[in-house]
C-alpha cells in the first residue's frame, strides 16, 4: 500500500519528530514545510532552554516526557549528544511547597519514574550553588535532563530524509486546498504541495493556520522571560579544574553538569550554560503577544537575536525574579546579564497540548502547544493515531475536542491562557475551580440552587453545586455513625461535612441532583440504529423505551468511552456521553456512514445546552414523583433501565429509570425553558417528604460505593472492559462492532489466566485517612499500581478508592496507599460495597 501524502507545517522539534516517527513506520511521502530557515526556523524550538522534566500530575504527559528523554538521548553524532541527562531538582522554601514535593514524588512513583525526596544538605550536594539555609527539602529525578533542541532537529531531519522525507524551509503556507470536505494540498504562494493529510505543528502560529480551514485553535502566544548571566565564579573555577559534561551544539551549548533546578515558590527555573546560569521566570505579568508584534520571518536568514519568537527583554518585569535568584543562588550576586529576551511560547486555556483533527476539514490535524519536554512523546502518539488508528498512550487530555464552544471564543481563550501562564508553578488542588470567567453555563435550576446556598465548582464552563449550605442544619440530626471524621488540611479543601448529610438523605429519604452538565446527544435518522450498533458494545436493537449502558471501544479493545443509550423512537436515540470527544467521534462516523449509504443517513445533535436534567433518588423517590405524572412509575410500570415520555406537573419530560447513586429513582429530562418550573414542581411536591437538594460531593461518594466507573479517570483507551470490570456491558452475540475481535481475544486469554491488571475497590483501614486520586499503591512493600478516584464513603463509614493493581491481587488482600509520603493501610474489597443484590435500585 503506498504511503499517504503527508505535509507537516512546522520544522521545529515537534514537526521533525513527527517526520521521524512517521517514516519509522513506513510512511515515506512526507514533506515538512517551514517559513523560516532550517534548522533555526525562528519558532519556540530555536530559543527553548531545553528542559525535559518528567514530574506531572498527568500519567500521559509523564510518559511523553520520559519517552522524549530516551529518544533524544539516542540521537548522537561523534562528540555530540542531543540530550544531557543531568537530572532535575525541585526545591521547597516553604512548608506548603515541601508538602507539594511529597505529592509530586507520589505522582512520579505512581507513573514509574525514578524519584527521591532529599533534605537540604543533599540538595546542596546535588546543586552546590544553592543556599541550603533557605531550602527545606527537594525532589530529585535523575532521569531529567537538557535537550539540545536544534541538534535534535538536525539529527531527526537527517534520519527522516534518509527514509524519504523532504524538508523545505523559506516557504510560507498561504492556503489549504480541499475537495469534498477533505484536504488535497497545501498552497505556498503559486505552488501547491499535494497532500492527503496535513499536520499543523507550527507552535504559536497554530491559530493562524487553523483559520485557513476554519478551525479554532485555542492557543495564545505568550512572552516568557529568560536570561543568561555573565560567568559565575564557582562555575568558572569548576570549568578550570574539570572538563564540563555535554558539548557545544550548533552555537547554543549544552555544557552542563548541574541538574535542572526549579524554584517554583518564586516561579523560577535554572539551567547551567557552561560558566553561566540560565534563568527562566514565570513570575511576571502575563504578556500575550499578537502576530503584528512579532518580528518578520526571513526565510533565508535567521540570527539568534532576530527570530520572531524572541522579543525585546523588559527588565522591569525581571526585577523580582533576579532578587529571588540571588537569594537562592548567592553566587549569582555580582553577575550581570549577558543575554536576555522575552521568548514566545504557546499557552492554552487549561495549559494542555492540542492534538486532533479539524471538525471542518478531514485530514487536517494539529499538534500544537507542545513543549520540548513532551515533543517526541506527542509526535509518537500522533504518528500512531495516523498509522494505526489510535495512540498506545491515552491522549484524551490533549484532544482539542475537549473544549466546548464557549471555551473556543477569543475572549475565553485569551483570559484563561493568561491564567495558565500565571499558574504554571502554582500548587493546585484537584478540585480547585478557576476563579474567572465564571457563570458561563448555568442550568435552569441555578437561581433555586443559589437560594439554597449552593457552593459551586466549575467544569467545562458549567457551574456545578458541590453541596448546599441550606442542608447544614441537617448535621444536628445526623446519626452519630454518619458524621464524617475530620479531614487533613489538604483533602478538606473544597469539601464540607454537609456532604454526609446529603448522602444520608439520599440513602434514607429522597434528594434532587442537578445532572444538567452531563453531555447529552441525539442520534437520529434511518441509519441511527446501524451506527450505534456498529460503534458500541451493547445490544441497542431493543424495544422503544429501552435504556442500555454500553461502551465504545478502540479497534485494539481499549475503552474509548461509556454511554447510556435510550431508544426514544424507531430512529431516535438519546445518548448520555462523556464530553466533546464523544460528540466528535460520533459525528465523524455518522458523516462517513451517510456518505457511504445515503439511504441510511444519520445525524448527531448536541442537545445539552437546550435541555436539562434533574435526578430524583432515594427510597421515597416514587412517593415524590408518582403523584405528579400520569405515567406508571411502579416497578412493573417502568422497570429499571427503561424510559418513557410523559409529563410531570403538566411539563413535557423524558423519564429514565437510572441511578448512579445506587438508590431508587429517575433521571428526568426536559427543555431548558421548562427547567425552573420542573424544579419548582418537584421541590413543592417533595417538601412534605423532607426532600433536599444534594451536590456532586455526595454524588461522587455514593457512586463509588456503588462501584460505578468514571471514564477518563477510572478507565481510558489504555484499559480493556475485562480489566475494568465492565465485561457485562459487552454483547459479542449481537454482531460485529468496533473492537469486537480484540475483546474476544482478551476474553479468551482471561479464560486461561487472570488479566495482568484489574481495577480494584479499596477501603482505608483506619476509616479516616483520605486520599484523592493518583497516589501510588504498594503490595507487599513494592509499587503495584495507582489510585484512580476516591471519596469518603458515607454509607460504609470509611474512605473508598479505586486503583489499578496487578491481576493476582485478590479481595481481602492488604495494600498501602502513599499519601504525602505516608503509607496508609487499605484492603481490597468485593464490589459494590452497597446493595450488591441491587434490591434498593430495583425496588
Amino acid at each position: 500500500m503506498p504511503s499517504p501524502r503527508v505535509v507537516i507545517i512546522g520544522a521545529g522539534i515537534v514537526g521533525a519528530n513527527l517526520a521521524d516517527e512517521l517514516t519509522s513506520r513506513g510512511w515515506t511521502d512526507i514533506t515538512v514545510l517551514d517559513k523560516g530557515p532550517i534548522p533555526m526556523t525562528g519558532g519556540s524550538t530555536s530559543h527553548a532552554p531545553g528542559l525535559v522534566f518528567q514530574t506531572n500530575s498527568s500519567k500521559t504527559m509523564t510518559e511523553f516526557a520520559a519517552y522524549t528523554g530516551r529518544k533524544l538521548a539516542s540521537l548522537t553524532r561523534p562528540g555530540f549528544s542531543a540530550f544531557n541527562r543531568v537530572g532535575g531538582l525541585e526545591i521547597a522554601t516553604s512548608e506548603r511547597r515541601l508538602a507539594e514535593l511529597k505529592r509530586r514524588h507520589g505522582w512520579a512513583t505512581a507513573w514509574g519514574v525514578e524519584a527521591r525526596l532529599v533534605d537540604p544538605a543533599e540538595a546542596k550536594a546535588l546543586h552546590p550553588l544553592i543556599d541550603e539555609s533557605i531550602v527545606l527539602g527537594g525532589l530529585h529525578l535523575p532521569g531529567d535532563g537538557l535537550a539540545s533542541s536544534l541538534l535534535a532537529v538536525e539529527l531527526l531531519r537527517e534520519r527522516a530524509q534518509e527514509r524519504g522525507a523532504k524538508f523545505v524551509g523559506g516557504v510560507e503556507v498561504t492556503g489549504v486546498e480541499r475537495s469534498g470536505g477533505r484536504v488535497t494540498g497545501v498552497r505556498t504562494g503559486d505552488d501547491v504541495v499535494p497532500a492527503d493529510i496535513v499536520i499543523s505543528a507550527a507552535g504559536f502560529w497554530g491559530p493562524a493556520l487553523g483559520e485557513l480551514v476554519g478551525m479554532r485553535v485555542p492557543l495564545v502566544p505568550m512572552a516568557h522571560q529568560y536570561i543568561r548571566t555573565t560567568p559565575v565564579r564557582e562555575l568558572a573555577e569548576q570549568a578550570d579544574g574539570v572538563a564540563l559534561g555535554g558539548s557545544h551544539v550548533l552555537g547554543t551549548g549544552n555544557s552542563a553538569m548541574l541538574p535542572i533546578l526549579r524554584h517554583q515558590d518564586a516561579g523560577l527555573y535554572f539551567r547551567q550554560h557552561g560558566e553561566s546560569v540560565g534563568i527562566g521566570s514565570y513570575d511576571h505579568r502575563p504578556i500575550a503577544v499578537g502576530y503584528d508584534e512579532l518580528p518578520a520571518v526571513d526565510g533565508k536568514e535567521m540570527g539568534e537575536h532576530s527570530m520572531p519568537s524572541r522579543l525585546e527583554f523588559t527588565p522591569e518585569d525581571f526585577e523580582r525574579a533576579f532578587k529571588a535568584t540571588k537569594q537562592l543562588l548567592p553566587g549569582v550576586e555580582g553577575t550581570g546579564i549577558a543575554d536576555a529576551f522575552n521568548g514566545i511560547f504557546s499557552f492554552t486555556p487549561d495549559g494542555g497540548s492540542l492534538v486532533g483533527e479539524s471538525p471542518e476539514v478531514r485530514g487536517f490535524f494539529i499538534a500544537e502547544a507542545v513543549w520540548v519536554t513532551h515533543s517526541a512523546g506527542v509526535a509518537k502518539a500522533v504518528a500512531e493515531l495516523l498509522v494505526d488508528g489510535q495512540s498506545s498512550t491515552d491522549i484524551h487530555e490533549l484532544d482539542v475536542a475537549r473544549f466546548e464552544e464557549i471555551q473556543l471564543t477569543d475572549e475565553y481563550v485569551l483570559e484563561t491562557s493568561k491564567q495558565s501562564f500565571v499558574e504554571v508553578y502554582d500548587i493546585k488542588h484537584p478540585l480547585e475551580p478557576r476563579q474567572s470567567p465564571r457563570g458561563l453555563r448555568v442550568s435552569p435550576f441555578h437561581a433555586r440552587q443559589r437560594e439554597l446556598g449552593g457552593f459551586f465548582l466549575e467544569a467545562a464552563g458549567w457551574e456545578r453545586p458541590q453541596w448546599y449550605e441550606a442542608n447544614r442544619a441537617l448535621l444536628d440530626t445526623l446519626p452519630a455513625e454518619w458524621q464524617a471524621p475530620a479531614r487533613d488540611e489538604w483533602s478538606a479543601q473544597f469539601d464540607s461535612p454537609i456532604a454526609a448529610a446529603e448522602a444520608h438523605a439520599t440513602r434514607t429519604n429522597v434528594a434532587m441532583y442537578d445532572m444538567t452538565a452531563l453531555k447529552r446527544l441525539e442520534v437520529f435518522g434511518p441509519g441511527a440504529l446501524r451506527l450505534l450498533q456498529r460503534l458500541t458494545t451493547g445490544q441497542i436493537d431493543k424495544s422503544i423505551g429501552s435504556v442500555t449502558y454500553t461502551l465504545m471501544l478502540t479497534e485494539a479493545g481499549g475503552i474509548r468511552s461509556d454511554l447510556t443509550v435510550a431508544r426514544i423512537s424507531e430512529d431516535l436515540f438519546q445518548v448520555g456521553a462523556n464530553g466533546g470527544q464523544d460528540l466528535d467521534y460520533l459525528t465523524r462516523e455518522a458523516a462517513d456512514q451517510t456518505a457511504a449509504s445515503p439511504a441510511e443517513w444519520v445525524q448527531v445533535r448536541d442537545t445539552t445546552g437546550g435541555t436539562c436534567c434533574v435526578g430524583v433518588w432515594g427510597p421515597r423517590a416514587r412517593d415524590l414523583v408518582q403523584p405528579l405524572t400520569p405515567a406508571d412509575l411502579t416497578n412493573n410500570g417502568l422497570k429499571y433501565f427503561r424510559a418513557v415520555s410523559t409529563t410531570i406537573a403538566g411539563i413535557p419530560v423524558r423519564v429514565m429509570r437510572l441511578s448512579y447513586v445506587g438508590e431508587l429513582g429517575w433521571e428526568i429530562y426536559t427543555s431548558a425553558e421548562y427547567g425552573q418550573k420542573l424544579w419548582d414542581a418537584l421541590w413543592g411536591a417533595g417538601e412534605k417528604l423532607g426532600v433536599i437538594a444534594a451536590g456532586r460531593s455526595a454524588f461522587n461518594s455514593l457512586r463509588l460505593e456503588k462501584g460505578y466507573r468514571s471514564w477518563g479517570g477510572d478507565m481510558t483507551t489504555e484499559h480493556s472492559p475485562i480489566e475494568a470490570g465492565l465485561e457485562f456491558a459487552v454483547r459479542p452475540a449481537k454482531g460485529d462492532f468496533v473492537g469486537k475481535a480484540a475483546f474476544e481475544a482478551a476474553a479468551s486469554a482471561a479464560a486461561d489466566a487472570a488479566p495482568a491488571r484489574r481495577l480494584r475497590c479499596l477501603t482505608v483501614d483506619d476509616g479516616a485517612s483520605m486520599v484523592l486520586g493518583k497516589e501510588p499503591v504498594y503490595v507487599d512493600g513494592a509499587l503495584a499500581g495507582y489510585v484512580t478516584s476516591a471519596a469518603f464513603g458515607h454509607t460504609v463509614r470509611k474512605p473508598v478508592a479505586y486503583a489499578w493493581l496487578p491481576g493476582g491481587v485478590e479481595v481481602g488482600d492488604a495494600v498501602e496507599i502513599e499519601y504525602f509520603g505516608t503509607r496508609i493501610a487499605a484492603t481490597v474489597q468485593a464490589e459494590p460495597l452497597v446493595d450488591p443484590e441491587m434490591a434498593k435500585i430495583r425496588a
Side-chain angles (χ1 to χ4, degrees), residues 71-129:
K71 181 175 180 178
L72 297 188
S74 73
L75 298 174
T76 62
R77 62 169 50 145
F80 296 86
S81 173
F83 190 68
N84 185 359
R85 189 170 277 112
V86 293
L89 176 64
E90 302 177 26
I91 57 98
T93 57
S94 66
E95 291 292 346
R96 188 164 182 263
R97 181 67 60 176
L98 186 62
E100 171 70 356
L101 292 188
K102 293 177 182 178
R103 185 168 72 123
R104 295 173 69 81
H105 176 263
W107 294 340
T109 304
W111 313 144
V113 174
E114 182 183 358
R116 66 189 183 97
L117 293 163
V118 298
D119 62 24
E122 291 174 295
K124 175 75 171 180
L126 289 164
H127 200 295
L129 294 185

Side-chain angles (χ1 to χ4, degrees), residues 406-723:
I406 188 67
Q407 297 175 301
L408 295 173
T409 64
D410 291 344
E411 295 80 1
Y412 184 93
V413 172
L414 178 60
E415 179 178 348
T416 55
S417 295
K418 284 183 176 181
Q419 194 63 28
S420 293
F421 179 91
V422 171
E423 295 175 346
V424 163
Y425 282 164
D426 281 5
I427 299 172
K428 299 283 289 183
H429 191 278
L431 292 177
E432 186 172 344
R434 68 172 68 256
Q435 297 303 307
S436 178
R438 292 294 295 269
L440 296 176
R441 308 174 81 186
V442 297
S443 81
F445 319 136
H446 187 68
R448 298 295 183 254
Q449 293 166 343
R450 288 178 61 112
E451 292 169 0
L452 293 170
F455 179 86
F456 295 89
L457 300 184
E458 179 266 349
W462 283 105
E463 296 295 322
R464 305 178 73 176
Q466 195 75 352
W467 67 81
Y468 295 88
E469 284 295 323
N471 296 324
R472 185 172 293 277
L474 297 177
L475 293 173
D476 296 334
T477 59
L478 193 65
E481 65 271 20
W482 276 82
Q483 298 281 352
R487 292 192 175 204
D488 66 279
E489 183 180 357
W490 180 255
S491 68
Q493 293 184 68
F494 308 104
D495 182 71
S496 170
I498 295 172
E502 294 177 358
H504 178 263
T506 307
R507 288 282 190 234
T508 62
N509 191 39
V510 61
M512 291 166 53
Y513 289 81
D514 183 359
M515 306 299 289
T516 301
L518 302 185
K519 180 71 75 176
R520 288 176 296 286
L521 312 174
E522 284 190 346
V523 180
F524 59 97
L529 177 62
R530 177 187 165 194
L531 178 76
L532 292 171
Q533 284 283 83
R534 178 170 60 85
L535 299 184
T536 72
T537 62
Q539 177 57 269
I540 309 301
D541 190 8
K542 296 189 290 193
S543 61
I544 294 171
S546 64
V547 182
T548 305
Y549 175 78
T550 185
L551 309 175
M552 292 195 296
L553 304 182
T554 66
E555 287 288 359
I559 302 173
R560 182 187 292 273
S561 189
D562 65 340
L563 311 171
T564 53
V565 180
R567 193 168 197 175
I568 306 304
S569 64
E570 193 70 21
D571 296 331
L572 171 63
F573 298 82
Q574 179 174 313
V575 176
N578 281 300
Q581 292 103 318
D582 292 342
L583 171 63
D584 183 65
Y585 177 60
L586 289 169
T587 300
R588 292 178 189 280
E589 292 292 329
D592 288 346
Q593 177 176 306
T594 299
S597 304
E600 291 190 289
W601 66 268
V602 56
Q603 291 188 9
V604 180
R605 178 171 59 208
D606 184 354
T607 61
T608 311
T611 57
C612 58
C613 176
V614 58
V616 182
W617 292 308
R620 301 195 70 186
R622 186 175 283 120
D623 296 337
L624 192 159
V625 181
Q626 182 64 84
L628 302 178
T629 178
D632 183 359
L633 300 185
T634 63
N635 199 43
N636 290 327
L638 189 66
K639 294 183 181 294
Y640 186 54
F641 264 74
R642 296 288 298 179
V644 64
S645 295
T646 182
T647 61
I648 287 179
I651 302 163
V653 295
R654 287 177 186 167
V655 177
M656 298 186 192
R657 190 171 173 190
L658 309 176
S659 174
Y660 286 93
V661 299
E663 295 293 333
L664 170 70
W666 302 269
E667 292 181 357
I668 303 171
Y669 300 87
T670 191
S671 297
E673 59 191 313
Y674 308 134
Q676 184 167 301
K677 180 66 173 177
L678 174 65
W679 180 278
D680 289 345
L682 292 168
W683 188 264
E687 282 189 302
K688 61 180 178 295
L689 302 174
V691 69
I692 69 160
R696 296 292 301 179
S697 182
F699 178 91
N700 197 46
S701 169
L702 298 172
R703 72 104 180 159
L704 282 174
E705 291 181 327
K706 195 59 185 170
Y708 292 138
R709 279 77 166 130
S710 174
W711 187 86
D714 295 321
M715 72 277 193
T716 68
T717 57
E718 296 181 12
H719 308 110
S720 74
I722 294 172
E723 293 171 328

